Amino acid sequence: MIRYREVYYVHHEGDFGLTGLAGKLSSRTGPSPDASTVLALATQAARDDEDIQLGRDVRLLLRSPLPDDALHSVWLTAVRQRFDPADHGMDMRTWLNDVAEVCPSRAPRPTGEEPVVPEAELRGSVLAEIETTAAALMRAVPERDIVSALGQVVTEADADLGFRLFLRALKACGVVVDEDQYDRLLAIGERLAYPLTAVFEELDVRWPPLDPGRRDFEFGFGLPGLSRMFDGDWDSWRYEGRGTPREHIERLAHADSGMPPGAQAAVLLEDVTRLMDSPLSDDTVTALWRTAARRWHAVDVFDADGRTWLREIVQVCVERLAAVDPVYTPHVSTPRRDLADPVVQEIQEIAEPLDRATAHDGMAGTLEALAIAVDPDLGFRLLVRMIEAYGIPVTQAQYARYRELGRRFGHHDSQVADAVEDLVER
């Protein structure tokens, strides 16, 4: 069966529905809440927060043939036993009926982008992930058959809800998942159009060692990513939080939710270290940063001396890395010298419009020197950033080559596509 599913991330920032309610209950401190308090939370979610999925989830369970012990098992696990209907004289279906009564029945809000997910395929994927962690879940909850109960929700109620209850069980029980399984869980969430925080928030992942050479970020990273945040054309760093330059660096250095903690800081530190230790002059380093950030006419002096500014960035990154991974020793990965020539060729092909657009005669030559003497990858990323920042048109052939170069460097496809696609001459 193929089902059209709601585009959840349009309406939710984190976990939602029954699992969102369970997450709120499991994170609370102090005495366990009573039934009236929990119903008040459900009412608020359904009405004030407009979480229509909560009512849909409880009705899915009520319509299912699931036995009460299975419902009881998944609920107690999801809330870390913080609220047990049995303690208030209710079985699970009585409790779910009470929740349904405070959750008005409303139809989904279609967007026209609802994902089409074959139910049998989804069911198989979720059951496979439950099996992968079955032993760990059984050790964490020896008093009840949580693995069987989760499987029953997936097969007899709804695979989507079963997946969210499985995620909530992993988080509630502190089950550690390997990175490859984490990637699969994210992929299932993406297929279901979840906000990704619904998957990774609170999930305990066994991360590999930090790698400053990592390049598969879906969003901005490294020095070009930071330059975008400080874009002088509209002073975004002022208006996004109204903080100091240091606080804005911290936003990028901490922006690794869903990735190994410290991943952003490690890569940004590598970019900055390469530039600081390079043979490029101080004026050249300053020119690279201020051109990428479109800050040539900015009156602020915090980045007027490029290397002094880079040292401030280093300090923020080092503090972040010490906080999340005290044993990590910052180092610089081996640059991709084999890709220097292709990068230089792309810089030379767009040199004239690049120099003209940036109003900096010789910027193309500076990028060439960076790609040859320092790091082809950083040179390429700054080239893409400048093309984006100054709206420089590119041909279909150039765009195709940029995407191929990005793939060879290990970049996520979005890095070139998001920056350049709208500038391709049609």
Side-chain angles (χ1 to χ4, degrees):
M1 180 177 66
I2 295 177
R3 290 183 58 181
Y4 290 84
R5 297 184 180 274
E6 185 178 355
V7 185
Y8 295 118
Y9 66 77
V10 172
H11 308 297
H12 306 288
E13 295 182 358
D15 203 355
F16 53 92
L18 187 62
T19 49
L21 176 63
K24 291 177 182 176
L25 293 172
S26 66
S27 64
R28 291 169 67 94
T29 58
S32 297
D34 58 24
S36 61
T37 299
V38 178
L39 281 176
L41 286 172
T43 303
Q44 180 181 2
R47 294 180 181 169
D48 298 346
D49 298 343
E50 297 185 345
D51 185 355
I52 65 174
Q53 190 62 35
L54 176 55
R56 293 166 66 188
D57 283 349
V58 296
R59 290 179 178 90
L60 277 170
L61 294 178
L62 287 168
R63 289 195 298 266
S64 76
L66 286 168
D68 196 78
D69 61 342
L71 295 172
H72 196 222
S73 180
V74 294
W75 173 255
L76 283 186
T77 302
V79 298
R80 295 192 180 101
Q81 302 185 75
R82 291 278 301 158
F83 174 74
D84 186 350
D87 293 340
H88 303 270
M90 294 180 287
D91 61 25
M92 277 302 298
R93 288 186 179 275
T94 300
W95 161 243
L96 290 173
N97 268 309
D98 286 350
V99 176
E101 287 180 5
V102 301
C103 297
S105 181
R106 288 176 286 185
R109 296 158 286 185
T111 67
E113 301 177 4
E114 282 69 24
V116 181
V117 184
E119 185 72 13
E121 182 182 328
L122 175 62
R123 188 183 302 126
S125 297
V126 177
L127 290 174
E129 298 307 327
I130 293 174
E131 180 60 30
T132 298
T133 55
L137 282 170
M138 287 188 287
R139 285 194 300 271
V141 193
E143 66 275 15
R144 46 186 180 273
D145 194 352
I146 182 60
V147 172
S148 175
L150 287 169
Q152 286 179 277
V153 175
V154 172
T155 57
E156 299 178 35
D158 180 65
D160 178 345
L161 175 56
F163 179 58
R164 284 185 281 119
L165 284 166
F166 168 56
L167 289 173
R168 182 52 56 190
L170 293 177
K171 298 169 185 179
C173 297
V175 173
V176 182
V177 300
D178 290 326
E179 188 184 23
D180 57 347
Q181 182 176 24
Y182 170 70
D183 290 338
R184 295 194 303 270
L185 297 176
L186 275 183
I188 294 173
E190 286 186 293
R191 289 201 66 190
L192 292 168
Y194 286 2
L196 294 186
T197 51
V199 178
F200 68 70
E201 202 165 64
E202 301 177 61
L203 192 64
D204 197 351
V205 182
R206 186 179 291 106
W207 297 112
L210 285 173
D211 178 12
R214 177 175 182 161
R215 294 292 181 266
D216 60 342
F217 295 82
E218 187 172 353
F219 305 104
F221 68 96
L223 198 63
L226 187 65
S227 73
R228 184 180 294 110
M229 294 172 67
F230 279 86
D231 192 307
D233 187 57
W234 57 291
D235 275 344
S236 62
W237 69 275
R238 294 185 185 280
Y239 296 106
E240 292 182 1
R242 304 182 185 278
T244 64
R246 179 185 175 87
E247 288 170 338
H248 217 51
I249 302 168
E250 290 173 347
R251 289 187 179 93
L252 180 60
H254 288 72
D256 41 36
S257 293
M259 299 180 291
Q264 285 277 19
V267 174
L268 179 57
L269 179 59
E270 177 178 85
D271 280 354
V272 171
T273 301
R274 287 195 200 278
L275 269 185
M276 287 182 61
D277 296 345
S278 76
L280 301 179
S281 69
D282 288 348
D283 287 345
T284 299
V285 170
T286 303
L288 278 168
W289 163 259
R290 285 213 148 190
T291 302
R294 293 196 297 180
R295 289 185 47 77
W296 272 112
H297 303 294
V299 297
D300 309 274
V301 297
F302 69 85
D303 60 351
D305 179 341
R307 276 191 166 85
T308 299
W309 169 238
L310 294 183
R311 283 191 285 272
E312 290 189 43
I313 300 172
V314 166
Q315 185 178 8
V316 172
C317 293
V318 169
E319 289 175 3
R320 167 65 174 164
L321 290 165
V324 298
D325 192 347
V327 301
Y328 176 72
T329 302
H331 62 283
V332 175
S333 63
T334 303
R336 292 291 304 273
R337 300 290 185 193
D338 58 311
L339 295 178
D341 286 345
V343 172
V344 168
Q345 290 170 11
E346 296 305 334
I347 295 171
Q348 290 174 343
E349 180 160 333
I350 205 168
E352 184 178 340
L354 178 66
D355 287 349
R356 185 171 58 250
T358 60
H360 190 279
D361 188 32
M363 181 49 62
T366 298
L367 283 178
E368 281 189 49
L370 175 66
I372 294 169
V374 184
D375 179 23
D377 176 73
L378 180 55
F380 174 68
R381 284 185 283 124
L382 281 170
L383 170 65
V384 170
R385 164 58 190 157
M386 290 181 190
I387 290 171
E388 173 196 28
Y390 295 93
I392 303 171
V394 300
T395 66
Q396 290 276 4
Q398 286 174 308
Y399 179 53
R401 294 196 303 271
Y402 295 167
R403 295 189 69 175
E404 178 57 26
L405 258 178
R407 293 188 188 105
R408 293 176 70 184
F409 278 119
H411 300 174
H412 191 283
D413 282 345
S414 64
Q415 293 300 324
V416 170
D418 289 353
V420 179
E421 188 171 29
D422 290 343
L423 300 170
V424 178
E425 296 173 333
R426 307 298 179 184

